[in-house]
Amino acid sequence: DGGITQSPKYLFRKEGQNVTLSCEQNLNHDAMYWYRQDPGQGLRLIYYSQIVNDFQKGDIAEGYSVSREKKESFPLTVTSAQKNPTAFYLCASSGGTGTDTQYFGPGTRLTVL
Amino acid sequence: AQKVTQAQTEISVVEKEDVTLDCVYETRDTTYYLFWYKQPPSGELVFLIRRNSFDEQNEISGRYSWNFQKSTSSFNFTITASQVVDSAVYFCALSEAGRDDKIIFGKGTRLHILP
């Protein structure tokens, strides 16, 4: 089955620790995206990548880092510099341009203890 | 600047009633795309529809229909004969061609279908 997988589904982190969220897709999509969702809020773009070895900051990139070493993988690291990391994180992919439909993974719920 | 407004934060209807979710957008571009996504309690966003700015024809898919009106910058979504499984948060989104490769999402409307 083609799709997007994110792991883990739930993640707990102590303050001051970095944590990496996984996102993998087998849709052969060029573009991948990371969003953050807070309760009662829409989606805010953290980072996106249109091609391997290249990525751009979104609207709320501070405290986050990404890499795109393989077409199918786009991991997100939440660093200790992120002031309020507790949120729901969604990964998406699309054919390549911003107007293409984005397809989403199941999400990772991160809680900082 | 591009913007998407979903004024209805939360709606509750009784099962089998029809319900319309409103979406108003702002854009300076003539070429743009509009989307609707459904987010059930599991959390994953499910794609429903993508419509380009040159196609104002209304769309129907089963119990779902969409009314696109450029004159009022609206792209409303109607569920006919609602069912409990329709309970979810629904997001409207906008993307402008050739600009930043981003999709801008509204804040969503939480829909409760009461049995």
Side-chain angles (χ1 to χ4, degrees):
Chain A
D1 279 89
I4 302 171
T5 57
Q6 290 186 242
S7 60
K9 189 170 178 65
Y10 298 95
L11 189 56
F12 297 89
R13 185 195 98 176
K14 293 182 179 179
E15 277 192 34
Q17 288 181 337
N18 292 356
V19 62
T20 297
L21 281 59
S22 168
C23 178
E24 305 273 334
Q25 54 99 359
N26 60 6
L27 300 169
N28 199 32
H29 283 168
D30 288 317
M32 296 187 73
Y33 306 81
W34 273 106
Y35 293 91
R36 170 181 172 139
Q37 185 179 24
D38 293 285
Q41 299 295 313
L43 278 66
R44 293 185 290 169
L45 183 64
I46 304 172
Y47 269 98
Y48 63 104
S49 167
Q50 295 171 283
I51 196 169
V52 174
N53 292 322
D54 188 38
F55 48 83
Q56 287 77 41
K57 293 182 179 180
D59 301 317
I60 56 165
E62 186 175 350
Y64 300 97
S65 66
V66 294
S67 63
R68 187 84 187 277
E69 297 176 2
K70 298 186 297 182
K71 185 176 184 177
E72 57 270 21
S73 178
F74 191 41
L76 173 74
T77 297
V78 184
T79 75
S80 56
Q82 168 51 233
K83 296 281 185 271
N84 184 20
T86 294
F88 188 54
Y89 291 87
L90 285 156
C91 177
S93 70
S94 74
T97 71
T99 57
D100 287 341
T101 298
Q102 292 183 18
Y103 296 92
F104 285 79
T108 292
R109 192 166 300 278
L110 173 63
T111 303
V112 174
L113 304 173
Chain B
Q2 47 178 163
K3 184 179 176 182
V4 176
T5 301
Q6 295 181 256
Q8 304 151 307
T9 304
E10 203 159 343
I11 301 175
S12 294
V13 299
V14 176
E15 196 173 19
K16 298 183 184 176
E17 288 184 353
D18 299 347
V19 58
T20 294
L21 309 183
D22 298 333
C23 174
V24 174
Y25 61 91
E26 293 178 27
T27 178
R28 294 179 183 171
D29 277 12
T30 55
T31 304
Y32 53 90
Y33 293 78
L34 295 163
F35 304 81
W36 275 96
Y37 286 86
K38 173 182 179 180
Q39 186 177 38
S42 61
E44 179 174 348
L45 262 73
V46 177
F47 166 71
L48 296 178
I49 189 170
R50 172 179 181 260
R51 175 53 55 86
N52 76 58
S53 53
F54 298 106
D55 182 4
E56 284 194 75
Q57 191 170 4
N58 290 336
E59 175 116 2
I60 298 174
S61 177
R63 297 184 295 106
Y64 295 172
S65 62
W66 290 269
N67 184 351
F68 178 26
Q69 291 196 336
K70 289 175 76 170
S71 61
T72 56
S73 296
S74 64
F75 187 44
N76 296 339
F77 172 34
T78 297
I79 301 174
T80 303
S82 60
Q83 300 176 2
V84 172
V85 293
D86 296 326
S87 297
V89 180
Y90 291 87
F91 291 96
C92 181
L94 164 71
S95 179
E96 296 171 335
R99 190 174 304 228
D100 295 338
D101 282 307
K102 296 178 185 178
I103 291 181
I104 302 299
F105 287 84
K107 294 194 173 184
T109 296
R110 183 175 297 276
L111 177 62
H112 300 278
I113 308 298
L114 308 172

